[in-house]
Amino acid sequence: MAHRPTRNFRRRAADSSDSDGAEESPAEPGTSRELTAPGPAEEGPPSGGGRAQVAGRPHRVRGPRGRGRVWASSRRATEAAPRADQGSGVQESRTVDVSTDEEDEIHHSSESKDDQGLSSDSASSLGEKELPSAVEIPDAAFIQAARRKRELTRMQDDYISLDVEHASTISGMQKESEDDPESESDDHEKRIPFTLKPQTLRQRMVEESKNRYEETSEESQEDEKQDIWVQQQMRKAVKIIEERDVDLSHSCGSSKVKKFDTSISFPPVNLEIIKKQLNTRLTLLQETHRSHLREYEKYVQDVKSSKSTIQNLESSSNQALNCKFYKSMKIYVENLIDCLNEKIINIQEIESSMHTLLLKQAMTFMKRRQDELKHESTYLQQLSHKDETSTNGNFTVDEKTQWILEEIESRRTKRKQARVLSGNYNHQEGTSSDDELSSTEMIDFQKSQGDILQDQKKVFEDVHDDFCNIQNILLKFQQWREKFPDSYYEAFISLCIPKLLNPLIRVQLIDWNPLKLDSTGLKEMPWFKSVEEFMDNSVEDSTKESSSDKKILSTIINKTVVPRLTDFVEFLWDPLSTSQTTSLITHCKVILEEHSTCENEVSKSKQDLLKSIVSRMKRAVEDDIFIPLYPKSVVENKTSPHSKFQERQFWSGLKLFRNILLWNGLLTDDTLQELGLGKLLNRYLIIALLNATPGPDVVKKCNQVAACLPEKWFENSAMRTSIPRLGNFIQFLLQSAHKLSRSEFRDEVEEIILILVKIKALNQAESFIGEHHLDHLKSLIKED
């Protein structure tokens, strides 16, 4: 059985045309090497056959296309290579398709010779379109010869073809196609043999010897062609590298150097034309040069003018000083604001710490007083009921109440001893402020206060005096006002100074307690004196606009001092304390009376301060005043605890009455009369007096009430009747006078008449004198 060799012709043709300089893959064993190396067009087709030549043609076309992308970068050259291979592959596939069609015509006897010619013509026309003119295209005879040779080779091989139909009809179809081309159209009507003709032994021996000879000759020819092909590939690779270098150099210099085209004709040139063109060019260059010179001279003049202007400005002392001063003030104010913005948070924390400390102390005093009043009142109420006593007559008291009573008595004893040592014998029990602290509490308070004051000193310890000393700051603005008053007033500096000084003044007010008698007055404070001096200096060159500087101090007080004073009134002030009230009134008079910006002007902050004062006194009347009423049998005994407690509470209420009326001149008369007369005198004090037995003690108390009343209320000489709110008090005086006139207390009656005259109850006094025939007392009314 004959063995059919592997058909590797088309694969070899494709491999040879796919790569320009790559090595050919080795042939498989047992396959004939039929590929002929392609050569240049002038060498002619190789002896191996026309198919090798056709297969090699696309390679000649690819060479120039591949060399066209050498100038690109390494990345783009890599991308271009597959594209070039793809293009050649198209041509190669077309060539291979031609041979494939031709082979199919041999294998399928049903195809005609016309189709063979058509495929040959299409292959030829395809080659003519894609291949250059230098390539020689094989004719139909050449293709037929190559086909016959390939068929003989297949028939002589020792193998049985699986395609029996094709193998048995190859020779017959070939002969018929050569003799009668027109009969190919009727091949499908002929009988197809399905078996091979038997051969004799002689024929088989001849074929075997012939096949061996042809195989030997073909192998030698293929080896020779392979060597030639290798040499051509080497030359081609060297040529491609050289052309690539030339293309790179050409692509780099193509933008600068252009090839001279000899086919272009130029007009005739002579020396006159050249000279004329050169003169024209020279003239243009000279004009350009002259324009550049003119521009250069202009720039030089501009530079000189600018330098002279700078020198003139620098030489003019006024403008330079003005600019320098304004610039320095701008920088100074910016630095000052930055400094204050950085320190304001620390200042607020220190203020809050001091306020918390003082508030804790004030709440301690207030809570202790209310608790002691509650426990003492409860103790006396229980003591007054006999059913709450024990069987043996002793009254049982819980330990807490007993301890509180002992503490109260201990502090009273200490205060009494202190008054005796000071020589004060006219003191009334209940009028002293119970604001003593234990030694431990006092040490803790002083320690905490000292720590806060140390923090206060450290606030501006790292700041230059020009930025934390109020006098130095005002001196800067005073220089501005003296040198440039117009710009000073146009900038509204009088409105800015209070805001700049606010943090600095608040630092100085941290240790200021207006509730203490020994506290520093506002006028003695350093910042107050500095601001007053700044305002006084503006009077010398005062103009219409400069009057705004006179409001600086008032603005500072309204924006800085009054809010802090309001906090003291709302949270720390005890209206029952005469010392605190007196000190507070002193500071408020400085603020409310002496430093108003204009007559009858009351700012919103001052209104808030007055409202807080009234509110705090109302709360004190409601929460702190308590005067119990006991049976006269119990009260008549002056040594009884009930009588002592009632006396203390009466004098405590009278003390608050006096403290309220001390605000005369700062608060309105209606407000004071409503608080002092309406809420306190008529509701608490008169009731306590009515419950007491008429006598010298009652007259003494009435004298104290009358002494607290402001004289301003009774300055009108035409008054014959007193204030309406004093009606209850006047009625009580008349009742007490009637009772005393029947007894031996004649002097007390005279004192009551004097009280009536003092409060301008003249009509009531005259009627009482006439009713009781006290003619010797009429002189008192006339003297008034």
Side-chain angles (χ1 to χ4, degrees):
M1 180 181 294
H3 177 72
R4 185 176 180 177
T6 304
R7 296 171 59 186
N8 57 0
F9 174 75
R10 284 179 292 176
R11 182 175 59 80
R12 286 180 176 273
D15 294 341
S16 62
S17 61
D18 284 343
S19 60
D20 292 338
E23 295 181 359
E24 180 182 4
S25 58
E28 297 179 3
T31 60
S32 60
R33 306 176 65 179
E34 297 176 358
L35 181 62
T36 305
E42 61 271 5
E43 294 178 2
S47 60
R51 185 168 300 277
Q53 182 181 1
V54 174
R57 286 170 190 163
H59 180 75
R60 296 174 60 87
V61 178
R62 284 186 68 256
R65 293 182 61 187
R67 292 192 296 270
R69 299 179 181 270
V70 176
W71 58 269
S73 62
S74 60
R75 176 170 180 149
R76 296 191 61 181
T78 306
E79 295 175 354
R83 295 174 187 166
D85 294 342
Q86 185 178 0
S88 65
V90 173
Q91 298 174 358
E92 180 179 322
S93 64
R94 292 177 181 176
T95 305
V96 173
D97 289 342
V98 173
S99 61
T100 305
D101 294 340
E102 295 169 354
E103 291 174 1
D104 291 341
E105 291 173 358
I106 298 172
H107 292 292
H108 301 280
S109 61
S110 63
E111 297 181 0
S112 62
K113 292 182 179 180
D114 295 338
D115 295 336
Q116 296 174 0
L118 181 60
S119 62
S120 302
D121 294 340
S122 62
S124 302
S125 62
L126 182 62
E128 289 176 357
K129 292 180 180 180
E130 297 182 357
L131 299 177
S133 59
V135 179
E136 182 179 359
I137 300 174
D139 55 0
F142 185 84
I143 294 174
Q144 291 293 339
R147 188 181 300 163
R148 292 191 194 98
K149 184 177 179 180
R150 187 167 60 254
E151 290 174 355
L152 290 174
T153 304
R154 292 174 181 172
M155 293 175 62
Q156 294 173 2
D157 288 340
D158 189 11
Y159 77 102
I160 297 177
S161 176
L162 297 177
D163 192 355
V164 180
E165 178 184 355
H166 287 195
S168 61
T169 59
I170 286 175
S171 60
M173 286 169 38
Q174 184 66 28
K175 291 179 181 181
E176 290 178 359
S177 63
E178 292 177 358
D179 297 337
D180 190 6
E182 296 179 357
S183 64
E184 291 182 1
S185 61
D186 298 334
D187 286 344
H188 62 281
E189 298 177 358
K190 296 180 181 181
R191 184 172 56 85
I192 301 174
F194 291 94
T195 59
L196 295 174
K197 294 181 179 181
Q199 293 181 353
T200 61
L201 179 61
R202 184 182 181 84
Q203 290 177 347
R204 290 196 297 271
M205 293 176 62
V206 171
E207 288 180 358
E208 290 178 1
S209 61
K210 186 177 180 179
N211 289 338
R212 285 195 296 271
Y213 174 76
E214 288 180 355
E215 288 178 359
T216 304
S217 61
E218 287 179 359
E219 289 179 359
S220 62
Q221 289 178 2
E222 287 181 359
D223 293 339
E224 182 180 356
K225 292 177 182 178
Q226 182 69 22
D227 296 337
I228 295 172
W229 183 82
V230 171
Q231 292 177 3
Q232 288 178 351
Q233 293 296 326
M234 294 296 292
R235 289 196 301 269
K236 186 185 293 184
V238 174
K239 185 178 180 180
I240 289 173
I241 294 173
E242 292 177 354
E243 290 179 355
R244 186 179 301 170
D245 296 338
V246 173
D247 290 341
L248 282 174
S249 60
H250 176 70
S251 61
C252 296
S254 60
S255 60
K256 299 180 180 179
V257 181
K258 294 183 178 180
K259 292 183 178 180
F260 179 73
D261 191 358
T262 56
S263 63
I264 299 174
S265 62
F266 292 96
V269 179
N270 53 25
L271 294 177
E272 293 298 331
I273 294 174
I274 295 174
K275 182 178 180 181
K276 184 179 180 180
Q277 291 179 352
L278 291 176
N279 289 333
T280 303
R281 179 64 176 168
L282 179 61
T283 303
L284 293 175
L285 292 175
Q286 288 176 351
E287 290 178 357
T288 304
H289 178 66
R290 284 193 295 271
S291 65
H292 290 171
L293 287 177
R294 287 192 298 270
E295 292 179 359
Y296 174 74
E297 292 176 357
K298 180 182 177 181
Y299 294 150
V300 171
Q301 292 297 329
D302 292 342
V303 172
K304 291 181 180 180
S305 176
S306 300
K307 290 181 178 180
S308 62
T309 303
I310 294 173
Q311 292 177 357
N312 293 334
L313 292 176
E314 291 178 352
S315 61
S316 58
S317 59
N318 293 333
Q319 295 180 359
L321 292 177
N322 295 352
C323 181
K324 184 177 180 181
F325 176 80
Y326 286 127
K327 186 175 181 180
S328 63
M329 282 299 300
K330 178 179 179 295
I331 296 174
Y332 174 77
V333 173
E334 289 177 351
N335 293 334
L336 177 61
I337 293 174
D338 291 341
C339 174
L340 297 179
N341 288 336
E342 182 179 350
K343 298 296 183 180
I344 189 65
I345 298 176
N346 193 13
I347 294 173
Q348 292 174 350
E349 292 177 354
I350 297 175
E351 282 181 338
S352 178
S353 300
M354 180 61 76
H355 181 77
T356 303
L357 180 64
L358 296 177
L359 179 62
K360 181 180 178 181
Q361 185 187 47
M363 294 302 295
T364 300
F365 292 147
M366 186 180 301
K367 188 176 184 302
R368 186 178 68 183
R369 181 173 62 227
Q370 293 177 354
D371 291 344
E372 291 176 353
L373 178 62
K374 179 181 177 180
H375 284 83
E376 191 172 5
S377 174
T378 303
Y379 167 74
L380 294 175
Q381 286 179 358
Q382 294 176 357
L383 188 62
S384 62
H385 297 289
K386 295 181 179 180
D387 55 353
E388 295 179 1
T389 57
S390 59
T391 55
N392 56 5
N394 295 329
F395 180 69
T396 59
V397 183
D398 59 282
E399 296 181 359
K400 183 178 181 180
T401 303
Q402 185 66 30
W403 179 79
I404 291 175
L405 294 176
E406 291 176 359
E407 287 291 326
I408 295 172
E409 192 63 29
S410 175
R411 290 196 300 273
R412 286 174 186 164
T413 303
K414 291 180 180 179
R415 288 195 296 270
K416 186 182 296 185
Q417 292 176 356
R419 288 193 297 269
V420 171
L421 295 176
S422 61
N424 184 8
Y425 299 100
N426 296 325
H427 181 78
Q428 296 293 334
E429 288 289 340
T431 58
S432 60
S433 298
D434 191 7
D435 54 359
E436 295 87 357
L437 289 174
S438 63
S439 58
T440 303
E441 293 175 342
M442 182 61 67
I443 291 173
D444 294 341
F445 176 80
Q446 292 177 353
K447 182 179 181 301
S448 301
Q449 187 178 27
D451 295 340
I452 295 174
L453 296 180
Q454 288 295 327
D455 295 337
Q456 174 198 5
K457 296 178 181 179
K458 296 178 181 179
V459 173
F460 290 106
E461 65 179 0
D462 58 342
V463 180
H464 195 272
D465 288 343
D466 290 341
F467 299 96
C468 63
N469 191 313
I470 295 178
Q471 186 174 3
N472 294 347
I473 295 173
L474 293 177
L475 184 61
K476 293 280 187 180
F477 291 100
Q478 183 176 347
Q479 294 175 358
W480 186 357
R481 184 178 59 190
E482 293 174 355
K483 293 182 179 179
F484 313 105
D486 295 337
S487 63
Y488 173 84
Y489 293 114
E490 289 175 358
F492 299 99
I493 301 301
S494 59
L495 300 179
C496 301
I497 289 178
K499 295 181 180 180
L500 292 176
L501 300 184
N502 177 271
L504 302 173
I505 295 174
R506 287 167 61 181
V507 172
Q508 297 186 22
L509 293 178
I510 290 176
D511 190 28
W512 180 60
N513 190 348
L515 302 179
K516 291 184 177 181
L517 289 174
D518 57 349
S519 62
T520 306
L522 292 177
K523 293 183 178 181
E524 286 75 26
M525 291 184 177
W527 64 267
F528 193 97
K529 296 179 180 179
S530 300
V531 174
E532 272 191 335
E533 183 179 356
F534 179 78
M535 292 170 56
D536 294 339
N537 292 335
S538 65
V539 177
E540 299 177 0
D541 56 346
S542 62
T543 60
K544 185 177 180 180
E545 295 83 6
S546 66
S547 60
S548 59
D549 284 349
K550 297 179 181 179
K551 300 180 180 180
I552 293 177
L553 183 58
S554 178
T555 305
I556 291 175
I557 290 175
N558 291 334
K559 299 295 184 181
T560 306
V561 180
V562 174
R564 181 168 178 79
L565 200 61
T566 304
D567 291 339
F568 272 94
V569 171
E570 291 181 355
F571 303 104
L572 305 177
W573 176 42
D574 182 12
L576 287 173
S577 175
T578 303
S579 61
Q580 292 186 11
T581 304
T582 304
S583 177
L584 183 62
I585 290 173
T586 302
H587 293 294
C588 289
K589 284 183 178 179
V590 175
I591 293 172
L592 299 176
E593 291 182 354
E594 299 185 10
H595 292 282
S596 295
T597 55
C598 61
E599 189 176 359
N600 298 328
E601 178 185 353
V602 179
S603 64
K604 182 179 181 302
S605 59
K606 293 178 180 178
Q607 291 178 355
D608 294 339
L609 174 61
L610 296 177
K611 289 180 181 179
S612 63
I613 291 171
V614 175
S615 176
R616 182 67 186 91
M617 289 191 296
K618 285 182 180 180
R619 193 166 71 250
V621 172
E622 295 173 357
D623 297 342
D624 297 330
I625 300 303
F626 172 70
I627 301 177
L629 297 179
Y630 299 110
K632 288 187 178 181
S633 59
V634 178
V635 177
E636 287 177 355
N637 184 8
K638 300 300 182 182
T639 60
S640 65
H642 300 82
S643 177
K644 292 181 179 179
F645 180 71
Q646 189 182 54
E647 286 292 312
R648 286 195 300 269
Q649 292 303 115
F650 176 84
W651 288 108
S652 177
L654 185 61
K655 180 182 180 181
L656 179 59
F657 179 76
R658 183 188 301 111
N659 292 341
I660 291 175
L661 296 180
L662 286 176
W663 289 97
N664 177 42
L666 297 177
L667 300 177
T668 61
D669 293 342
D670 292 338
T671 302
L672 292 178
Q673 290 176 13
E674 179 184 0
L675 283 174
L677 304 181
K679 292 183 177 297
L680 186 54
L681 178 63
N682 295 332
R683 187 177 298 179
Y684 292 99
L685 300 181
I686 294 297
I687 294 176
L689 292 173
L690 290 173
N691 193 41
T693 303
D697 292 338
V698 173
V699 175
K700 182 180 179 180
K701 293 177 182 178
C702 291
N703 273 324
Q704 292 293 329
V705 171
C708 295
L709 298 175
E711 295 180 358
K712 179 184 176 182
W713 292 355
F714 313 105
E715 288 179 352
N716 189 0
S717 59
M719 290 179 61
R720 301 293 297 178
T721 58
S722 184
I723 300 172
R725 294 182 183 273
L726 289 176
N728 293 333
F729 181 62
I730 294 172
Q731 189 66 27
F732 171 74
L733 291 175
L734 294 175
Q735 291 179 3
S736 299
H738 282 294
K739 293 178 181 180
L740 293 175
S741 62
R742 301 191 189 110
S743 61
E744 68 276 6
F745 299 106
R746 298 282 181 175
D747 296 337
E748 280 73 10
V749 174
E750 184 176 354
E751 291 182 3
I752 291 175
I753 298 299
L754 291 174
I755 293 172
L756 291 173
V757 172
K758 181 180 179 181
I759 60 177
K760 293 296 181 178
L762 300 180
N763 294 334
Q764 290 85 346
E766 289 179 354
S767 63
F768 178 80
I769 291 173
E771 183 180 355
H772 293 81
H773 306 286
L774 300 175
D775 297 335
H776 63 283
L777 298 178
K778 292 182 179 179
S779 60
L780 298 176
I781 300 174
K782 293 180 180 180
E783 291 177 359
D784 182 71

